[in-house]
Amino acid sequence: MHDLLIVLDEPTASLYPAEVDFMIGIMDEMRKKNTLLVVEHNDKVIEKADHNIYLGHDGGKNGGYLISKDEYMKLQEGSLPYRFFKRTSCDTRVLDSDYVDYAGSELEIPHGSILGLCGMSGCGKTTILRKILPKCYEDYLYVSQKPLKGQSFTTVATYTKLLDEIRTCYAKALGKDKGYFSQRGKGACDKCGGTGVIEIGSFYEEKLFDTCDKCNGTGYLQEVLEWKVDGVNIYDIQQMTIDELIASGMNISAKADKMLKLLSDLGIGYLKISQKVKTLSGGENQRIKLAEALNDNKYSMIGLDEPAKGLGKRETARLLGLIYSQVSKNKKTFIIAEYDTMFLNYCSYFAELRRKGQSTTIVFQGSREQLFKDKKNDIRNWLTANPEELK
């Protein structure tokens, strides 16, 4: 087949550096007789393209604008100072799974630091995070990029319990029943039942809806919309983004302030708090789960599966900044499966897995300094040595 427009959405996102080169070779063959439109963050793919389109400046309503290459490159400037987190203690765990044959390998876990798991796709990194470590530690949490659990109407605010804090704040400030500030309680529009839409028919078995003309899509009774705190009603506050709500200076509660800051620090402050969770990307799902885990502070060990997937350099640095803060201040341990070389550059310890035949073995594990002294491993060829750290 030829003369096709082929759209590829981040084809290198979950690939090891060597696999990226292989994928670029495939794309080179595909574009000989076709046109490829590729969404990517990988520098190698960007350099190989015949023409690049840059979008900015941020996510959400502040993004999606065409910007120049110079503007894009300026947005990527600035990096996080590298820090080596010396482990507070270390233990080893035998890797045993029905899914992957690890040939009796033992994984060293450096507590109070950041361990980067790396290796070709399919070598069993996710199995370690999802299946093995939960059995080894009671205070361990695995955070994946799978969709958040919730119903069709679940929003960022309801999932993170921010809406409950907001409703409590409004009820106390106005001396009203908390139920009035719920679209499924006393404050719900009596025509649409709080949904904000009215079913008007169907087309090919798909239901058709129109905006409710009584509440104008807010889902609230008119009298409820007239009740305001700091000049903002319950509907308008839900139309704010996380960063806008922080900037407003509204004193909701200590719990709400902590969650809002975590979400903003994780780089998703552009999300509207009323945004449906079913519309979120995998990376946004994972960061909300991570914020929830850090807010509860129940877990001292956290496993992250490709947290840099789909992120640009600026967003990756921001995420790393929060991880550094959690290790430094709260002595958290992070075990992270990742392909992104920028992210791996900021890890303190590494475990490189390699598949040999039907089994997987750990071919290297140790500190960053040891990694660059060992010439047998593969990952050192893809990372940038820190001269000051490796003297």
Side-chain angles (χ1 to χ4, degrees):
M1 297 179 70
H2 55 85
D3 297 330
L4 297 176
L5 171 61
I6 302 174
V7 181
L8 301 176
D9 192 1
E10 299 185 50
T12 68
S14 294
L15 299 182
Y16 196 63
E19 295 172 305
V20 170
D21 294 334
F22 181 71
M23 176 57 72
I24 289 174
I26 293 176
M27 289 192 286
D28 281 339
E29 287 298 314
M30 292 172 67
R31 70 178 181 175
K32 287 180 180 179
K33 294 183 179 180
N34 301 285
T35 299
L36 268 62
L37 178 60
V38 185
V39 179
E40 260 298 350
H41 294 282
N42 188 283
D43 288 338
K44 282 189 174 182
V45 177
I46 293 172
E47 289 171 5
K48 276 280 188 178
D50 297 309
H51 181 68
N52 287 306
I53 298 172
Y54 299 93
L55 298 176
H57 290 84
D58 290 301
K61 65 181 182 181
N62 295 320
Y65 300 100
L66 291 174
I67 61 175
S68 67
K69 180 180 179 180
D70 289 342
E71 287 178 291
Y72 174 79
M73 296 307 295
K74 190 173 182 179
L75 289 172
Q76 305 308 308
E77 288 178 1
S79 61
L80 185 73
Y82 172 75
R83 289 186 62 187
F84 176 73
F85 292 98
K86 186 177 181 180
R87 61 196 185 190
T88 56
S89 61
C90 180
D91 58 47
T92 59
R93 298 294 175 180
V94 176
L95 299 181
D96 185 21
S97 170
D98 294 332
Y99 302 92
V100 180
D101 178 11
Y102 292 100
S105 295
E106 293 185 349
L107 178 66
E108 295 178 358
I109 307 294
H111 295 272
S113 190
I114 306 170
L115 171 64
L117 297 179
C118 45
M120 293 281 191
S121 54
C123 65
K125 301 183 295 298
T126 297
T127 299
I128 292 173
L129 295 179
R130 183 164 56 96
K131 297 289 185 180
I132 297 176
L133 293 181
K135 297 178 181 178
C136 300
Y137 302 99
E138 292 182 357
D139 58 348
Y140 170 85
L141 177 69
Y142 168 59
V143 185
S144 72
Q145 290 201 0
K146 289 186 177 180
L148 298 170
K149 293 181 180 179
Q151 298 171 312
S152 60
F153 53 79
T154 302
T155 65
V156 172
T158 55
Y159 185 86
T160 59
K161 299 180 177 61
L162 277 171
L163 187 56
D164 193 53
E165 294 296 316
I166 292 170
R167 290 172 58 216
T168 299
C169 171
Y170 270 69
K172 287 182 178 179
L174 298 167
K176 304 289 184 180
D177 189 308
K178 187 177 175 180
Y180 281 114
F181 303 100
S182 171
Q183 290 162 311
R184 272 161 287 283
K186 292 181 179 181
C189 170
D190 52 17
K191 184 172 183 178
C192 65
T195 63
V197 294
I198 301 293
E199 185 177 341
I200 59 174
S202 62
F203 184 73
Y204 285 101
E205 298 184 355
E206 288 291 326
K207 292 181 179 180
L208 298 177
F209 297 90
D210 193 13
T211 302
C212 175
D213 58 0
K214 185 168 184 178
C215 67
N216 292 319
T218 66
Y220 287 100
L221 292 170
Q222 185 58 41
E223 63 176 305
V224 175
L225 297 177
E226 293 172 359
W227 300 335
K228 298 181 179 181
V229 174
D230 293 346
V232 182
N233 66 34
I234 188 66
Y235 175 76
D236 289 337
I237 195 173
Q238 293 179 70
Q239 304 315 301
M240 291 182 179
T241 66
I242 291 161
D243 284 341
E244 286 172 344
L245 185 51
I246 293 172
S248 74
M250 186 177 290
N251 185 20
I252 299 169
S253 70
K255 285 183 179 180
D257 290 346
K258 183 181 178 183
M259 175 57 76
L260 288 167
K261 187 177 186 307
L262 279 169
L263 293 170
S264 181
D265 288 347
L266 283 165
I268 50 176
Y270 58 84
L271 290 178
K272 206 191 286 191
I273 66 168
S274 62
Q275 184 166 337
K276 298 287 198 303
V277 296
K278 66 180 181 181
T279 68
L280 300 176
S281 69
E284 290 166 344
N285 277 294
Q286 186 180 52
R287 282 178 282 173
I288 287 176
K289 290 179 190 175
L290 178 56
E292 187 181 34
L294 296 177
N295 188 49
D296 290 341
N297 204 28
K298 294 179 181 177
Y299 305 94
S300 64
M301 302 178 66
I302 297 174
L304 298 178
D305 203 353
E306 297 183 52
K309 183 178 179 180
L311 301 185
K313 292 179 180 178
R314 184 174 59 163
E315 292 84 3
T316 300
R318 194 167 184 176
L319 172 60
L320 279 161
L322 181 67
I323 291 173
Y324 268 28
S325 175
Q326 289 293 321
V327 176
S328 177
K329 294 179 181 179
N330 301 323
K331 307 303 178 185
K332 300 281 188 185
T333 300
F334 285 87
I335 303 100
I336 302 169
E338 190 50 84
Y339 297 93
D340 186 278
T341 52
M342 174 188 169
F343 194 103
L344 289 171
N345 266 314
Y346 287 89
C347 294
S348 298
Y349 293 86
F350 295 87
E352 183 179 345
L353 286 73
R354 189 178 301 166
R355 198 167 184 84
K356 296 181 179 180
Q358 298 300 313
S359 63
T360 292
T361 58
I362 298 178
V363 294
F364 171 84
Q365 55 184 327
S367 69
R368 180 184 175 82
E369 184 176 5
Q370 292 169 323
L371 178 78
F372 282 92
K373 288 180 179 178
D374 183 349
K375 297 182 179 181
K376 295 180 181 179
N377 63 76
D378 291 331
I379 194 63
R380 70 186 298 277
N381 298 321
W382 307 101
L383 299 184
T384 303
N386 185 322
E388 294 299 315
E389 181 63 35
L390 302 179
K391 280 182 180 179

